[in-house]
């Protein structure tokens, strides 16, 4: 480890790309090693490490710095990243640092801290350039040259009127290409996309993706610019949402990562398993009702799982298509509801096909063709149920502003398990004389 | 519809943003309406519509155009988009169009068609600017001004040496800010990220996301520039991969969308249901082995589904965390294998907790505490199985270069269902005298 850290230090001081790679490995280092690394790095390099590493390591690094050093490092960071770090520090330390900041910075940070994490306001940064529309392009270039290289994004200039209202954007390339004597007003694109700070980050991601933007301005109701959201933040949003969807669809907690401790894994998984246990008991109760029938035709106990299981599989197909269409904004409650009959019909047809295969195999094994008929009817019925619940549950959850990826599957499986057992064993009870 | 289309035409001719919105609704229009829209739009606007609409509509539009009109529209489009469209046309039409292109265009298209769809070569575009490192910044600006506005991306200039080998990048903003007399060689960033054309698009997305890039050059083995991949293409890749993961995790076919016809939905879902039917029969066979035991203690038929179901739930938690970590490049086969014991242990502990709750409830319902013991042991065993298979299956699929999101779940569920029934009913058979 000693040697490895030395090797990293050397690279770190010379190579920006390496910095990102170091940052992603820092969680493996212990406190004393992190302190050594911090003192070896310049403020600017340490700022890069902070921006790239995970939350726990960020806190560890800041905790190892004096207030003075922390503030000098912050000077090289974007305000939205600073806010994220402050949010993870102890409240005492975070207040100390904010109080020591310059008045202008303090105000920006306070505003940013007021927006929710997952809104446009929460992910925006405040480093952007506005210029009055009366600027000539020559003046604009002079102003750009005079701005410190600290301002990250210079490819898009935001153009305002005399009341500081945003009226459009001007691309740096257009400023260079067009005649110097023209004004920004001559080249401004007034037909631009913007968002308000309360907009959900997923909605912002949809907008950026739809219109192929690299930056989107965040404005107040009266068109005063508050900040910008750049496309790299959007990629982070997309990855975060994707992780959430995959974990929640699988019934895992979105807090769990591959780095969670064993205890955390147990603690995070157990509650959802307990909820599932409840639904498993519901299905078991449906079976219990028919124990008498099963006692007389024990073959039913082996077959019933096929009916309930296939309902679950078909339901999960429907759910995943509906969830994804909701996430991509391709379907909403109103047009979704019109598809209920369609999904039921697809379920019936697939139930017919699957039920025929399953029924014939069962009849051949047990030598009873009434069993085939019951399997066929129950399968069609349960796959129709899977279609009905598979589309209704995610649509209703979405309508109630709950995350459909999180809990659609448990409701649908409960329906297909419980009702699947009920229909199959119910039919078997009715036809009991033919089965014995 | 008549009126709506007229309204759209008017907007379309004046407003780029509206164009994108039109494009996303075009699948609802019939052929004659699409033909009317095409003749109302200029070549440039129609190119925008083509770039934004879905594949089926693209084909419909091109099929409604003469070769001549199609080629004039192509003039306003990026080469990678043209290639995507050509790939969806009938082979005859696609060849016709390629043969009518200018020699230079024809060569570029042929090269692009040679790369697989989901590689860096397949998604790259060939509109980029290279300049020799000896250019002064003043010369660079003059060259930029002389380039037609057709070249989309001007914010990054790719700097080459005398042998046309890529040596680094120069940002437009640096060219403006720095002294005119300097050369590109003075400001070139030689420490840059690039990819080769064979790299998988998911890997490119990971790189762009990790290093917060807005553009990444695609180069040959000897550093000759072949193309660039811009961040908006990466966002498309991320959304496409996310859609695939969500659909495949739910057992749906990645080809199915909310716009699929009912017949397509049936055809696309049925094969996977048949595969699942096979595994359902496997589990049923495990139950069938113990029919004698069930005949004597019919309560087992209601309880056994709880054991198998909870194994499936726990397995799906493990799978989703492993799949996501694989997708984010956070875990690989070698380090993953070391976690097998950890997952088994987590399964045993959660099995202990869930098994105790389930066992006590079962004992209270049926008044037999041996049943509690059997439920507890079987639950611990089946959740250990879920941990073992939940981590091994996706890791092995990944190692075999198969998509772990696609089929992990079916293998793990087969294991937890079949082995879950086997362990529970096996234990019950052993303790049979205490249960009757």
């Amino acid at each position: 480890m000693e040697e490895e850290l030395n090797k990293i230090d050397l690279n770190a001081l010379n190579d920006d790309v390496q910095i990102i790679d170091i940052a992603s490995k820092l969680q493996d280092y212990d406190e004393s090693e992190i302190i050594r690394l911090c003192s070896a790095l310049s403020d600017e390099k340490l700022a890069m490490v902070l921006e790239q590493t995970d939350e726990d390591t960020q806190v560890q690094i800041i905790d190892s710095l004096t207030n003075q050093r922390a503030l000098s490092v912050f000077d090289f960071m974007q305000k939205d990243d600073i806010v994220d770090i402050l949010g993870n520090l102890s409240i005492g330390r975070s207040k100390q640092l904010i109080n020591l900041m310059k008045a202008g910075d303090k105000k920006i940070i306070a505003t940013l801290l007021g927006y929710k994490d997952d809104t446009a306001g929460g992910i925006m940064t405040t480093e952007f350039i506005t210029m009055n529309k009366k600027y000539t392009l020559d003046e604009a270039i002079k102003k750009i040259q005079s701005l410190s290289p600290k301002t990250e994004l210079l490819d898009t200039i935001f153009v305002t009127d005399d009341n500081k209202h945003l009226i459009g954007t001007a691309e740096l390339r257009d400023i260079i290409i067009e005649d110097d004597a023209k004004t920004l007003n001559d080249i401004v694109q007034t037909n631009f996309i913007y968002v308000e700070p309360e907009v959900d980050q997923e909605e912002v991601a949809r907008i950026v993706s739809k219109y192929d933007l690299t930056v989107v301005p965040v404005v107040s109701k009266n068109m005063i610019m508050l900040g910008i959201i750049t496309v790299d933040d959007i990629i982070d949003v997309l990855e975060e949402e994707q992780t959430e969807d995959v974990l929640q669809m699988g019934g895992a907690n979105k807090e769990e990562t591959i780095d969670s401790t064993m205890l955390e894994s147990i603690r995070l998984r157990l509650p959802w398993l307990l909820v599932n246990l409840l639904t498993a008991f519901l299905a078991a109760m449906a079976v219990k009702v028919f124990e008498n029938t099963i006692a007389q035709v024990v073959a039913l106990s082996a077959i019933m799982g096929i009916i309930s299981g296939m309902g679950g599989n078909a339901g999960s197909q429907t759910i995943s298509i509906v969830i994804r269409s909701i996430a991509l904004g391709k379907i909403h409650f109103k047009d979704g509801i019109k598809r209920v009959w369609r999904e039921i019909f697809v379920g019936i047809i697939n139930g017919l096909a699957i039920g025929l295969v399953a029924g014939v195999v069962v009849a051949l094994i047990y030598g009873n063709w009434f069993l085939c008929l019951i399997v066929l009817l129950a399968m069609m019925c349960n796959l129709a149920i899977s279609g009905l619940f598979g589309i209704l549950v995610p649509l209703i959850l979405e309508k109630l502003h709950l995350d459909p990826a999180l809990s659609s599957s448990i409701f649908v499986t409960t329906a297909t398990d419980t009702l699947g057992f009920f229909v199959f064993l119910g039919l078997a009870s009715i036809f009991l004389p033919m089965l014995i």
Side-chain angles (χ1 to χ4, degrees), chain A:
Chain A
M1 193 56 117
E2 188 69 30
E3 238 185 13
E4 205 182 328
L5 189 64
N6 281 330
K7 198 187 77 201
I8 278 177
D9 277 355
L10 278 177
N11 286 329
L13 296 168
N14 299 321
D15 190 335
D16 291 355
V17 169
Q18 286 280 353
I19 290 262
I20 298 176
D21 293 324
I22 293 174
S24 59
K25 284 173 204 133
L26 267 188
Q27 60 263 35
D28 299 334
Y29 295 129
D30 67 27
E31 215 185 312
S32 70
E33 286 167 324
I34 286 185
I35 293 176
R36 277 190 51 208
L37 182 72
C38 291
S39 59
L41 288 175
S42 69
D43 290 347
E44 189 176 356
K45 301 277 175 188
L46 188 52
M48 286 182 67
V49 170
L50 272 172
E51 282 180 341
Q52 297 292 340
T53 194
D54 65 288
E55 293 180 2
D56 291 345
T57 315
Q58 286 176 337
V59 173
Q60 247 186 312
I61 290 176
I62 299 289
D63 281 348
S64 80
L65 303 180
T66 62
N67 284 343
Q68 239 44 49
R69 176 88 204 272
L71 289 174
S72 336
V73 174
F74 283 170
D75 275 346
F76 292 94
M77 292 175 64
Q78 300 209 333
K79 297 287 184 293
D80 59 331
D81 291 326
I82 300 175
V83 166
D84 289 343
I85 292 178
L86 290 175
N88 291 322
L89 295 178
S90 69
I91 296 186
R93 184 76 199 277
S94 150
K95 273 194 180 161
Q96 264 179 31
L97 286 169
I98 294 175
N99 285 332
L100 288 169
M101 286 178 186
K102 282 169 277 180
D105 287 355
K106 208 186 289 184
K107 201 176 147 194
I108 294 170
I109 298 280
T111 313
L112 284 178
L113 280 169
Y115 296 114
K116 278 200 207 142
D117 266 7
D118 55 356
T119 61
I123 59 171
M124 73 185 183
T125 178
T126 50
E127 277 83 12
F128 56 84
I129 302 178
T130 57
M131 289 188 198
N132 189 292
K133 62 177 179 176
K134 289 179 190 153
Y135 272 57
T136 64
L137 301 192
D138 190 47
E139 286 169 338
I141 290 177
K142 292 226 167 64
K143 169 129 187 224
I144 291 165
Q145 286 169 337
S146 75
L147 287 165
S148 80
K150 232 189 88 180
T151 309
E152 273 287 324
L153 192 98
L154 280 160
D155 296 334
T156 301
I157 309 290
F158 297 94
V159 183
T160 58
D161 63 17
D162 291 337
N163 299 317
K164 303 229 171 200
H165 294 158
L166 184 64
I167 60 163
T169 59
E171 295 302 315
L172 190 55
R173 47 176 176 254
D174 293 332
I175 295 178
I176 296 175
I177 292 171
E178 300 281 338
D179 183 0
D180 276 6
K182 282 189 179 172
T183 65
L184 286 177
N185 200 36
D186 297 327
I187 65 162
V188 65
Q189 292 156 6
T190 53
N191 176 20
F192 66 104
I193 308 273
Y194 56 87
V195 295
E196 291 182 4
E198 297 79 19
V199 175
D200 188 272
Q201 62 176 4
E202 282 188 70
E203 180 60 24
V204 181
R206 260 199 292 273
I207 291 170
V208 167
S209 157
K210 184 172 178 187
Y211 298 101
D212 286 351
L213 308 174
T214 51
V215 59
V216 55
V218 183
V219 299
S220 68
K221 292 247 181 294
N222 51 355
M223 292 303 283
I224 301 292
M225 257 196 91
L226 303 172
I228 55 171
I229 297 168
T230 50
V231 69
D232 54 307
D233 297 323
I234 292 302
I235 287 184
D236 293 342
V237 168
L238 286 174
E239 287 195 335
E240 190 186 317
E241 300 292 341
Q242 187 168 7
T243 300
E244 269 186 41
D245 279 1
V246 168
L247 292 185
Q248 294 186 340
M249 276 185 70
N253 191 303
K254 63 180 176 183
E255 308 286 322
E256 184 171 351
T257 70
I258 205 80
D259 302 318
S260 299
T261 64
M262 210 182 288
L263 210 67
E264 278 172 338
S265 291
I266 292 168
R267 187 179 56 80
L268 290 170
R269 293 185 201 179
L270 204 44
W272 189 243
L273 290 177
L274 282 167
V275 174
N276 274 279
L277 183 59
L278 208 74
T279 78
F281 265 107
L282 256 177
M285 286 301 110
V287 177
K288 193 172 181 329
V289 171
F290 297 97
E291 270 181 3
N292 261 335
T293 309
I294 294 175
Q296 293 176 66
V297 188
V298 73
L300 299 176
S301 64
I303 305 167
M304 63 185 188
I306 300 178
I307 313 291
S308 63
M310 293 311 298
N313 292 327
S316 131
Q317 290 183 324
T318 310
I319 291 173
S320 56
I321 287 160
V322 176
I323 284 181
R324 194 54 195 152
S325 303
I326 290 175
L328 291 172
K330 283 193 182 173
I331 192 175
H332 302 279
F333 189 79
K334 247 177 115 176
D335 36 324
I337 281 296
K338 291 184 202 142
R339 295 173 56 90
V340 168
W341 286 110
R342 176 194 186 282
E343 288 301 326
I344 291 177
F345 189 75
V346 169
I348 290 173
I349 300 296
N350 278 339
L352 181 68
I354 298 288
L356 264 178
V357 177
V360 168
V361 173
V362 163
L364 291 176
I365 293 176
Y366 290 97
N368 184 324
W369 287 90
F370 282 104
L371 216 44
C372 170
L373 184 69
I374 293 172
V375 166
L376 175 61
L377 286 177
M379 193 72 86
M380 287 170 69
C381 199
N382 203 25
L383 262 61
I385 291 169
S386 81
L388 172 67
F389 282 80
I391 184 155
L392 272 188
V393 169
L395 284 176
I396 291 173
L397 288 174
E398 168 73 6
K399 183 83 178 167
L400 299 174
H401 301 288
L402 297 168
D403 186 348
L406 174 59
S407 38
S408 290
S409 148
I410 194 161
F411 288 115
V412 176
T413 314
T414 305
T416 52
D417 272 4
T418 312
L419 297 178
F421 284 141
F422 212 88
V423 168
F424 174 66
L425 295 174
L427 282 171
S429 300
I430 293 168
F431 288 92
L432 196 57
M434 285 87 161
L435 298 177
I436 297 175

